[in-house]
Amino acid sequence: MNEEIKTLTISIYTENNIGLLNRISAIFQRRHINIESLTTSQSEIENVNRFVIVVNMSETQAKKIVGQIEKQVEVIKAYYHTDDETIFTESCMFKIKSELLFEEPQIQNIIKESDTRIVTVNKEFFVLEKSGRRHEIEALRRDLNAFGIMQFVRSGRIAVTKDEMKVTELLDAVKK
C-alpha cells in the first residue's frame, strides 16, 4: 500500500555547530528526498537554533528521517507537522526599475491589491517586500514578470505549530 505524499514541515532544535547542515541534508539526500525550503535561525530558547525544513514525503518516511536526525549529537529534538498543524509564511523581495512605478499605473494597482510593501525607492530602482503563502508570492511574481523584474528572492518557510509545543520544558530537562 502506498502512503500519501504530503507537504511536511520538519522542525529541528539544535546546538549551533559547524557541519550540522551538511549532515542533516545528507540524511535527505541518501533517501532521494528533495528539500523544498530550508530556514535556520535562533529559536525561542537562548543558544538553541531551529531548522525549518519543508519536504514532500509520507509520514512514515518523516518518522524515519526525524529519528535519523535526532541521532546527530548536536540535535536536541526534531518534529514533523502537516500544513494543517502549522501556521506558516514566506517572504520575498522584488527589485524593479523605478520608471515603471511612475509610468505603469498597473504596477501601483498590483502593489495595492497584493498587500505588498514598498521598502525603498531611488532613481534606478524600487524594492517591494511581500509576506504570505507561496501561491500568493508566485502570483505576484507572475504579475510583475510582465513588467520586468531586475532581481527576485524568496525565503524559505517559517512556521509555528498550532498546538502548544513544550519545547522549553523538554530542553530544560535535557540540559539538566
Side-chain angles (χ1 to χ4, degrees), residues 76-162:
I76 298 161
K77 190 71 181 149
Y79 303 91
Y80 75 89
H81 295 93
T82 64
D83 282 357
D84 291 341
E85 298 169 324
T86 59
I87 299 162
F88 58 92
T89 192
E90 296 180 6
S91 293
C92 70
M93 293 175 79
F94 298 88
K95 181 177 169 183
I96 300 171
K97 288 183 182 168
S98 284
E99 62 200 40
L100 294 170
L101 186 58
F102 306 106
E103 295 172 7
E104 291 287 346
Q106 185 60 29
I107 286 193
Q108 292 180 23
N109 292 337
I110 291 169
I111 292 169
K112 237 181 268 173
E113 290 167 10
S114 64
D115 198 25
T116 300
R117 190 171 70 90
I118 298 174
V119 178
T120 191
V121 179
N122 66 36
K123 280 189 249 178
E124 288 82 40
F125 62 86
F126 66 101
V127 175
L128 300 174
E129 181 269 332
K130 164 87 177 144
S131 292
R133 296 287 176 105
R134 175 148 310 181
H135 70 273
E136 296 168 329
I137 291 171
E138 284 303 313
L140 178 59
R141 190 167 68 87
R142 277 191 306 276
D143 290 347
L144 292 174
N145 241 352
F147 301 98
I149 298 170
M150 296 169 72
Q151 291 181 33
F152 169 75
V153 64
R154 180 179 56 225
S155 73
R157 175 183 288 192
I158 55 174
V160 294
T161 59
K162 289 180 181 176

